[in-house]
Amino acid sequence: MVSDTDFMQLALAQAQQAWDLGEVPVGAVVVKDGEVIAVGCNQPIGKHDPTAHAEIVALRAAAEKLGNYRLPGCELYVTLEPCVMCSGAMMHARLSKVVFGATDPKTGACGSVVNLFEQEQLNHHTEIVGGVMAEECGAMLKNFFAARRAAVAAARRAAQS
């Protein structure tokens, strides 16, 4: 049987694709009935689209594949705790479950800053599971930003020489 960890490993592969594109390394996978139906990686810079987060890219691909903007029975795996925009899209898609890796203390909308999924006033409630492969997901993000800071520092040093 395929586990949450197996699907999160696929999301991490998508995050690596985002890194390779020069984007913040976040990856997402949509699963229905135990099978991957769509994937996505962060692409807001390359697509010049502030909504091109990994989750939105994956949701759009899943909706296209299923021919429906609603995704009942689908689960989304993402390497970073979703933001408010992505969480709202997940609720509108009627996902049954969202699984995330690393928490996001700056923009996380699954409990770190706010928890949209706990709002009883909202008409759809999605199961949230956090912390799956959190160390690996967090390490990829930390390594990406460390490499970025090092590159900026090296460029500054080169410019001063």
Side-chain angles (χ1 to χ4, degrees):
M1 180 159 182
V2 183
S3 69
D4 285 351
T5 301
D6 295 321
F7 291 126
M8 190 60 74
Q9 287 174 333
L10 295 174
L12 273 167
Q14 287 297 307
Q16 183 62 56
Q17 276 195 298
W19 186 331
D20 295 344
L21 294 170
E23 303 275 0
V24 174
V26 178
V29 174
V30 178
V31 175
K32 184 168 177 67
D33 301 324
E35 292 191 29
V36 174
I37 63 166
V39 298
C41 68
N42 255 8
Q43 299 178 60
I45 298 166
K47 289 191 178 252
H48 311 291
D49 179 356
T51 70
H53 289 194
E55 302 96 307
I56 302 295
V57 172
L59 288 173
R60 286 177 178 155
E64 186 70 29
K65 179 166 185 151
L66 296 180
N68 191 348
Y69 73 106
R70 300 272 197 230
L71 303 173
C74 290
E75 302 172 349
L76 186 138
Y77 293 80
V78 60
T79 57
L80 181 64
E81 180 180 0
C83 69
V84 170
M85 174 186 69
C86 293
S87 295
M90 290 169 195
M91 284 188 269
H92 284 288
R94 305 294 196 258
L95 294 177
S96 62
K97 180 176 162 184
V98 173
V99 179
F100 68 88
T103 58
D104 186 345
K106 294 182 179 180
T107 64
C110 297
S112 289
V113 175
V114 66
N115 191 337
L116 287 184
F117 296 95
E118 283 185 345
Q119 299 302 312
E120 291 184 22
Q121 305 93 316
L122 298 173
N123 68 335
H124 180 73
H125 301 281
T126 301
E127 177 187 355
I128 302 297
V129 177
V132 174
M133 296 185 68
E135 286 185 30
E136 295 89 338
C137 294
M140 181 176 280
L141 287 157
K142 286 176 186 166
N143 293 338
F144 173 81
F145 286 112
R148 203 178 221 185
R149 284 189 300 274
V152 168
R156 285 185 183 146
R157 284 191 301 276
Q160 292 173 351
S161 298

